[in-house]
Amino acid sequence: MDAIRVRGGATLRGKVRISGAKNAALPILCATLLSDGASRLRNVPALRDIHTTSALLRFLGRGVEIHGPEVHVAAGSNVRPEAPYELVKQMRASVLVLGPLLARFGRAKVSLPGGCAIGARPIDQHLKGLEAMGANIRLERGYVIAEGPNGGGRLRGAEVYFDLPTVTGTENLMMAAALAKGRSTLINCAKEPEVEELGRILNKMGAEVDGAGTDVIHIVGQDQGELAPFDHAIIPDRIEAGTYMVAAAATGGDVLVEGAELSDLEALVAKMRQANIKVESVAAEDGSGAGGVRVWRDGPLKSVDVTTAPHPGFPTDMQAQFLVLMCLARGESVISETIFENRFMHVPELTRMGANVALRGNVAVVQGVDRLYGASVMATDLRASASLVIAGLVADGETEVRRVYHLDRGYERIEEKFGGLGAEITRVKGAEG
């Protein structure tokens, strides 16, 4: 297993370019199954999850070539509609093949998903929606086995109400509805920018999608064979952008996060400004519109309270990073996690580094400290990994973050990007787990 070794104390300065959004690229890769043609995705990050999804598409029968930052999915209709446990266990987003396989081929067998151990993330909302579209579904030995109406017929449009907003559930049903007969209405949808991006793709393919990015989405399905392949550049990764923004603030630096969109980060930016951090949108020098966000700090951090919530609320994927920031702030802050029940696993590791954090159920009470101290720490999930790297950047001495395979699922070349901002950071190959 690799580790990341960080020597703290450097003040981050300069520019960092944000990669394409992993959480947009994954459902879009799955959407290629809705068409038999060849598609091209551009601005795709070089991440483990991208390779895992590509391997899954290859298993299903589609040729996939990765020429970073592009991914080419070859034409083909000879697809095996079965996603095995060996691939799906690596990443929860693999369940996103369920909707397109069922809609395109009338049947699907998909393993129940895996991924980060940050709490229960059931797919009951996915299954409920597909059943409303006429699917017959059973669970058997860890697999979801689904068939269209009458033993493999075409799904039909339906009205589906989500009991709670679910990103992958919204995306799965959007893709299924794109080939269902008639009109579907999805209510209480997830409103994340990545959902809106999938809506753009489905419209490019010829589906009629209205309302993606709002809580009600209308979709008029197209006939089999009518959805076209596509060529599309993936939007920037807002969580990667937020991570570098928090890191810049934690070190007291001045960083331009190139490609970041302020409109996708409003809840985070509001809390950063309350914490005495300067954040401003910067236009591109060449007038291309591809500018970014500048982050800097010229005074002590102030403690602020944060409660995670579905978009446009404060993102759960930024909770761990922001908590590190609050460890360095004056006073007490309260971080409430409302999305996942097991997402404070980074706290014991931060405590090893000198943080003063008390856990009370789904609430972390943070007392700011003067400094953190370098230590050997263990990453437990993707965003926890990023938080520990940020902690290492500001800690006295050397920090080694172990089990960073989690980190590689969501951050492209993180040691190179931080190194380009002045951090003393290296990757250690084959480190002890």
Side-chain angles (χ1 to χ4, degrees):
M1 296 183 185
D2 291 357
I4 295 290
R5 190 169 292 160
V6 187
R7 180 162 292 280
T11 301
L12 300 184
R13 299 189 184 278
K15 301 177 182 178
V16 60
R17 166 64 61 176
I18 297 305
S19 302
K22 176 198 76 151
N23 289 339
L26 298 179
I28 290 171
L29 278 168
C30 295
T32 63
L33 293 167
L34 295 169
S35 169
D36 293 341
S39 292
R40 179 174 72 151
L41 284 68
R42 291 173 283 117
N43 195 34
V44 179
L47 300 172
R48 279 188 60 196
D49 281 7
I50 298 297
H51 286 275
T52 299
T53 304
S54 299
L56 177 55
L57 290 177
R58 292 188 191 103
F59 180 89
L60 295 173
R62 298 296 291 269
V64 181
E65 294 185 4
I66 300 177
H67 306 285
E70 293 189 0
V71 176
H72 299 255
V73 180
S77 59
N78 186 21
V79 169
R80 169 175 44 183
E82 179 176 339
Y85 172 73
E86 287 72 19
L87 289 170
V88 177
K89 72 177 180 179
Q90 301 177 41
M91 183 186 67
R92 183 177 186 272
S94 298
V95 77
L96 286 168
V97 300
L98 177 60
L101 285 176
L102 181 58
R104 176 68 184 84
F105 302 100
R107 57 192 178 91
K109 181 180 179 182
V110 178
S111 172
L112 291 169
C116 283
I118 58 174
R121 293 188 284 179
I123 61 169
D124 57 310
Q125 300 298 301
H126 307 229
L127 305 185
K128 182 185 77 169
L130 293 173
E131 287 178 330
M133 294 180 179
N136 298 300
I137 295 174
R138 69 182 190 274
L139 301 180
E140 186 176 292
R141 297 184 179 181
Y143 280 82
V144 177
I145 300 176
E147 288 186 340
N150 302 315
R154 184 182 180 187
L155 296 177
R156 53 181 180 267
E159 181 175 291
V160 177
Y161 179 85
F162 293 107
D163 294 330
L164 71 170
T166 160
V167 174
T168 53
T170 300
E171 292 168 339
N172 234 338
L173 294 191
M174 286 171 68
M175 290 186 282
L179 283 178
K181 183 178 181 179
R183 180 184 181 90
S184 293
T185 300
L186 310 181
I187 304 168
N188 197 27
C189 298
K191 297 181 281 189
E192 274 73 359
E194 296 80 14
V195 173
E196 187 175 0
E197 178 83 333
L198 178 60
R200 294 188 195 101
I201 287 293
L202 294 175
N203 280 328
K204 272 190 175 184
M205 298 179 77
E208 298 179 35
V209 180
D210 179 58
T214 74
D215 57 357
V216 179
I217 303 175
H218 301 282
I219 305 160
V220 178
Q222 305 301 302
D223 291 336
Q224 295 284 350
E226 289 192 355
L227 292 185
F230 56 87
D231 183 334
H232 187 78
I234 304 298
I235 58 173
D237 193 313
R238 62 193 173 96
I239 302 301
E240 184 194 20
T243 299
Y244 286 102
M245 291 164 63
V246 167
T251 66
D254 188 338
V255 173
L256 175 61
V257 184
E258 294 185 312
E261 293 283 351
L262 208 60
S263 60
D264 291 340
L265 296 161
E266 290 178 345
L268 171 65
V269 169
K271 290 298 180 180
M272 292 183 74
R273 286 172 172 161
Q274 290 178 32
N276 199 30
I277 300 161
K278 309 296 184 184
V279 184
E280 68 176 17
S281 184
V282 177
E285 295 179 358
D286 59 5
S288 65
V293 173
R294 180 188 171 206
V295 179
W296 74 102
R297 175 164 65 91
D298 56 5
L301 289 167
K302 297 179 181 178
S303 60
V304 297
D305 297 340
V306 164
T307 299
T308 63
H311 189 80
F314 192 95
T316 182
D317 280 352
M318 285 302 307
Q319 175 260 109
Q321 301 92 308
F322 197 85
L323 190 148
V324 174
L325 198 62
M326 292 299 95
C327 288
L328 306 169
R330 293 180 176 176
E332 179 181 282
S333 56
V334 178
I335 311 294
S336 301
E337 174 58 61
T338 70
I339 307 300
F340 297 120
E341 73 276 11
N342 196 24
R343 205 160 198 182
F344 283 126
M345 290 189 290
H346 48 288
V347 168
E349 302 302 296
L350 291 172
T351 302
R352 287 168 49 78
M353 301 179 71
N356 184 353
V357 185
L359 292 180
R360 301 170 186 169
N362 69 328
V363 174
V365 180
V366 185
Q367 302 288 345
V369 296
D370 291 334
R371 60 178 58 86
L372 298 175
Y373 300 93
S376 291
V377 291
M378 192 80 72
T380 53
D381 63 71
L382 171 54
R383 306 306 171 185
S385 305
S387 75
L388 295 175
V389 172
I390 295 172
L393 290 171
V394 299
D396 289 352
E398 186 173 274
T399 296
E400 185 171 274
V401 182
R402 301 181 179 182
R403 293 178 66 185
V404 294
Y405 61 84
H406 293 293
L407 196 69
D408 294 336
R409 290 186 49 234
Y411 293 92
E412 181 178 21
R413 299 180 289 105
I414 193 169
E415 66 274 19
E416 293 179 32
K417 290 187 177 184
F418 272 129
L421 296 173
E424 292 187 49
I425 181 170
T426 57
R427 178 177 290 261
V428 181
K429 295 288 187 181
E432 180 183 342

